[in-house]
Amino acid sequence: MMRLVEHRWNGTTTSYARQDVFLRVNPAGPWEVEHRRHGRSVMREYATETEARRVADGLCALGQWRNLEHLHR
């Protein structure tokens, strides 16, 4: 079962501009990055945390993103 590590949001509430980035880990396997944008979702798996964080950080490089992970606890 995947465990959420981070959930970042670009702070926009309108559906056409909202973006979310999720970083998850499967204790028995790969890391996953999910990018939700314009009502669509793209998920990719990565072998290491370093790779997954690099991608997640790149997706959140522009603008002011907020960490929403605390809302999932």
Side-chain angles (χ1 to χ4, degrees):
M1 181 158 126
M2 298 300 272
R3 179 180 61 85
L4 180 67
V5 176
E6 285 185 8
H7 173 195
R8 301 182 208 175
W9 169 52
N10 71 341
T12 304
T13 57
T14 56
S15 61
Y16 65 89
R18 181 182 175 127
Q19 293 186 59
D20 293 90
V21 173
F22 298 87
L23 178 64
R24 299 183 187 99
V25 64
N26 182 339
W31 285 76
E32 176 183 276
V33 175
E34 177 184 3
H35 183 206
R36 291 184 190 167
R37 182 177 175 199
H38 306 299
R40 295 181 185 215
S41 176
V42 175
M43 288 187 279
R44 300 265 195 287
E45 290 184 348
Y46 300 90
T48 67
E49 179 180 3
T50 301
E51 289 176 300
R53 284 193 181 276
R54 186 177 305 129
V55 170
D57 290 346
L59 290 169
C60 300
L62 298 176
Q64 295 186 351
W65 290 72
R66 299 175 184 152
N67 191 335
L68 300 181
E69 183 224 335
H70 63 281
L71 297 177
H72 295 275
R73 292 183 183 168

